[in-house]
């Protein structure tokens, strides 16, 4: 058996792992690279395998850095099933067509640029895939239930467990039998932070021979929830009388958690009369899907998060749909909280809101999620003084706030505690979905405190098991 690390190795995005055993080969994840100037080029490179030879695909969750290359896979000839939870399947109905739309718009914009010859050289004037490819991909998704054992092929079965990261996210357990030997591989996917709003905590896994584990925040703890609330209230109090608050948020997961957080603050009278605009058609659809899957909520969220309560406690919550409505928000000079995608500020309507508010010292930008290296959001977090948006140079005068306590990823203490759930150390542990420093920090703790055998693979690395 072999595992090839095709993405999210030494980096956070572009998740993709090829597993080969006997006459069977399959993918776990098929994600898009996000952040950095080389991402569009990398996403257009041919696959390092023949898609027509794949037997099946397993998907941990719907975020584009895990699912975004599935339409490209179908376009290249893959004809099998894509196994995912019901909630993930519902979210893919929204995310993949939206991603295709972005691909088409970006390609059209690249073709109009003066340096379009260079764009044509790298294929940037052609979308990675089309809307038709995305819609065709949805026909290949096969829904599975948490905790059900699934027979995938002779000698291969799997089970999806709740990862608590976003709606429908999963840890995938895979049993592979070769001859007289059965090995269990566990892909953690992205693990959620325990005790966070809305979703249940990640499931505890007790056994694995081979563990592929995320390490996004492997070098730090998140801020405590009470401290996070105090920081948010302070930002609102200081900013809203004279300026706006812009919140870049992933349409799936983060937007819903931010709404939940604002609802909690309003119910406890810590904030009042908020004017909240969710300016992302995809986020609006994802929020509606979230409310259709309340069986996945934790008990507190089931009691609290209903549209009736949102309407009572957050009466000024608006979901904008049209481009005209979005443009009208840029005329508001103060008192608005604008939640918009993309979460890393590299695409979508958020760029327009940053363009109109970054240069104003009375405004604030609240970063609530991970920002990949090279992304506009990462540059803002790192303190850049000047950015270019739609060809316009903008001085960064607004205050930039990183609200780590709202992260949907497990922090270092939570990752260690999840690892302690194993009854004995996995024979082999590979840390992925992390930049170098977080992965190294987590590896050190797992090795020194739990006596684990840990390796941090490089992209394209192949590991073999006899």
């Amino acid at each position: 058996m072999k595992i090839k690390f095709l993405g999210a190795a030494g980096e956070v995005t572009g998740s993709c792992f090829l597993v080969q055993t006997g006459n069977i080969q399959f993918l776990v994840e098929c994600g898009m690279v996000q952040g950095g100037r080389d991402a569009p080029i990398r996403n257009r490179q041919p696959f390092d395998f023949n898609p027509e030879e794949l037997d099946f695909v397993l998907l941990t969750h719907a975020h584009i850095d895990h699912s975004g290359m599935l339409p490209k896979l179908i376009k290249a000839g893959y004809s099998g099933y894509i196994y995912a939870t019901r909630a993930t399947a519902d979210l893919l109905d929204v995310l993949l067509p939206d991603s295709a739309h972005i691909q088409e718009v970006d390609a059209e914009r690249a073709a109009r640029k003066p340096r379009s010859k260079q764009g044509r050289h790298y294929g940037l004037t052609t979308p990675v895939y089309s809307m038709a490819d995305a819609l065709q991909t949805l026909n290949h998704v096969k829904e599975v239930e948490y905790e059900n054992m699934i027979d995938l092929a002779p000698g291969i079965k799997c089970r999806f467990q709740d990862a608590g990261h976003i709606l429908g996210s999963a840890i995938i357990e895979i049993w592979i039998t070769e001859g007289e030997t059965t090995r269990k591989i566990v892909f953690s996917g992205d693990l959620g932070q325990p005790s966070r709003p809305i979703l249940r905590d990640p499931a505890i896994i007790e056994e694995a021979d081979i563990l592929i584990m995320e390490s996004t925040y492997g070098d730090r703890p998140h801020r405590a929830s009470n401290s996070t609330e105090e920081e948010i209230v302070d930002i609102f109090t200081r900013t809203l009388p004279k300026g706006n608050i812009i919140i870049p948020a992933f349409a799936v997961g983060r937007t819903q958690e931010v709404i939940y957080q604002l609802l909690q603050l309003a119910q406890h009278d810590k904030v009042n009369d908020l004017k909240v605009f969710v300016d992302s058609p995809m986020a609006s659809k994802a929020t509606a899907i979230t409310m259709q899957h309340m069986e996945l909520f934790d008990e507190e969220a089931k009691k609290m998060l209903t549209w009736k309560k949102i309407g009572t406690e957050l009466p000024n919550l608006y979901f904008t749909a049209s481009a005209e409505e979005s443009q009208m928000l840029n005329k508001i000079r103060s008192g608005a909280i604008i939640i918009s995608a993309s979460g890393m500020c590299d695409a979508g309507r958020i760029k327009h809101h940053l363009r109109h508010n970054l240069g104003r010292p009375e405004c604030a930008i609240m970063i609530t999620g991970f920002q990949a290296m090279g992304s506009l959001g990462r540059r803002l977090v790192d303190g850049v003084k000047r950015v270019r948006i739609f060809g316009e140079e903008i001085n960064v005068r607004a205050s930039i706030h990183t609200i780590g306590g709202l992260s949907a990823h497990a922090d270092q203490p939570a990752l260690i505690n999840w690892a302690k759930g194993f009854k004995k150390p996995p024979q082999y542990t590979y840390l992925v979905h992390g930049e170098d420093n977080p992965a190294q920090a987590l590896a050190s703790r797992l090795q020194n405190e739990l006596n684990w055998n840990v390796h941090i693979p490089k992209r394209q690395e192949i590991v073999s098991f006899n």
Side-chain angles (χ1 to χ4, degrees), residues 99 149 169 172 175 195 205 215 228 235 275 321 348 376 380 466:
S99 177
M149 196 69 75
S169 60
I172 303 180
W175 288 265
S195 302
I205 309 298
S215 60
T228 297
I235 295 169
K275 294 181 180 179
L376 174 57
L380 292 174
N466 297 322

Side-chain angles (χ1 to χ4, degrees), residues 421-440:
F422 288 88
K423 291 182 177 179
K424 63 179 182 180
Q427 287 180 279
Y428 308 95
T429 296
Y430 301 92
L431 296 185
V432 296
H433 296 292
E435 294 172 359
D436 186 59
N437 287 342
Q440 292 288 353

Side-chain angles (χ1 to χ4, degrees), residues 359-399:
R360 301 175 59 208
E362 64 271 29
C363 294
I365 314 300
M366 279 179 49
I367 305 293
T368 62
F370 181 81
Q371 305 297 307
M373 189 75 72
S375 66
L376 174 57
R378 179 63 166 265
R379 297 200 299 277
L380 292 174
V381 169
D382 288 343
V384 67
K385 301 300 181 183
R386 194 173 177 84
V387 297
R388 179 182 287 271
I389 299 178
F390 299 128
E392 179 183 344
E393 291 287 341
I394 299 173
N395 292 319
V396 179
R397 296 191 178 99
S399 58

Side-chain angles (χ1 to χ4, degrees), residues 125-382:
T125 57
T126 302
V128 178
Y129 48 81
S130 67
M131 182 65 71
D133 298 321
L135 295 176
Q136 178 63 24
T137 301
L138 300 176
N139 296 327
H140 291 259
V141 178
K142 188 172 182 63
E143 298 178 6
V144 301
E145 299 292 335
Y146 285 125
E147 300 181 9
N148 283 1
M149 196 69 75
I150 306 163
D151 289 318
L152 299 168
I156 304 179
K157 58 184 179 179
C158 81
R159 181 168 61 193
F160 286 59
Q161 302 278 18
D162 198 336
H165 172 60
I166 66 166
L167 196 74
S169 60
I171 301 161
I172 303 180
E173 303 173 280
I174 308 169
W175 288 265
I176 297 178
T177 300
E178 295 179 290
E180 302 297 320
T181 302
T182 297
R183 292 187 180 91
K184 181 183 179 184
I185 309 175
V186 172
F187 286 85
S188 75
D190 286 347
L191 296 170
Q193 179 75 355
S195 302
R196 290 302 306 147
I198 304 181
L199 298 180
R200 299 176 299 201
D201 291 352
I204 298 299
I205 309 298
E206 296 184 343
E207 296 180 345
D209 297 303
I210 303 164
L211 173 62
I212 316 297
M213 181 179 176
E214 77 128 314
S215 60
T216 306
Y217 286 98
D219 61 343
R220 76 198 85 164
H222 294 322
R223 180 171 287 191
S225 59
N226 59 343
S227 179
T228 297
E229 285 187 359
E230 292 173 1
E231 184 178 10
I232 293 173
V233 171
D234 180 62
I235 295 169
F236 285 10
T237 302
R238 287 189 289 108
T239 306
L240 292 176
K242 295 183 179 180
N244 298 322
I245 295 173
I246 310 300
I247 306 178
F250 297 101
V252 176
R254 195 55 39 78
T255 294
Q256 293 75 40
E257 289 190 8
V258 170
I259 293 172
Y260 183 94
Q261 185 76 47
L262 297 181
L263 177 61
Q264 281 191 316
L265 292 174
Q267 287 189 327
H268 291 92
D269 292 322
K270 294 184 178 181
V271 294
N272 295 289
D273 300 322
L274 298 179
K275 294 181 180 179
V276 183
F277 301 89
V278 179
D279 187 32
S280 166
M282 184 169 63
S284 301
K285 294 175 184 177
T287 303
I289 291 171
T290 298
M291 299 304 295
Q292 294 168 11
H293 286 276
M294 290 189 70
E295 76 279 1
L296 302 179
F297 291 9
D298 60 24
E299 291 306 313
E300 180 183 3
K302 286 179 182 178
K303 296 175 183 177
M304 180 181 181
L305 195 57
T306 66
W307 284 120
K308 181 178 179 180
K309 288 187 176 180
I310 289 175
T312 301
E313 304 294 339
L314 289 176
N316 298 318
L317 174 64
Y318 307 98
F319 290 83
T320 60
S322 68
E324 290 74 20
E325 289 177 299
S326 176
Q327 291 165 6
M328 289 297 293
L329 297 182
N330 293 320
K331 296 182 179 180
I332 301 175
R333 303 301 292 173
S334 65
I337 299 169
I338 302 174
I339 306 170
S340 188
S342 70
M344 294 186 194
C345 309
D346 273 342
R349 295 181 176 182
I350 189 63
K351 295 181 72 174
H352 293 277
H353 301 307
L354 290 174
R355 179 188 180 192
H356 284 85
N357 291 274
L358 264 179
R360 301 175 59 208
E362 64 271 29
C363 294
I365 314 300
M366 279 179 49
I367 305 293
T368 62
F370 181 81
Q371 305 297 307
M373 189 75 72
S375 66
L376 174 57
R378 179 63 166 265
R379 297 200 299 277
L380 292 174
V381 169
D382 288 343

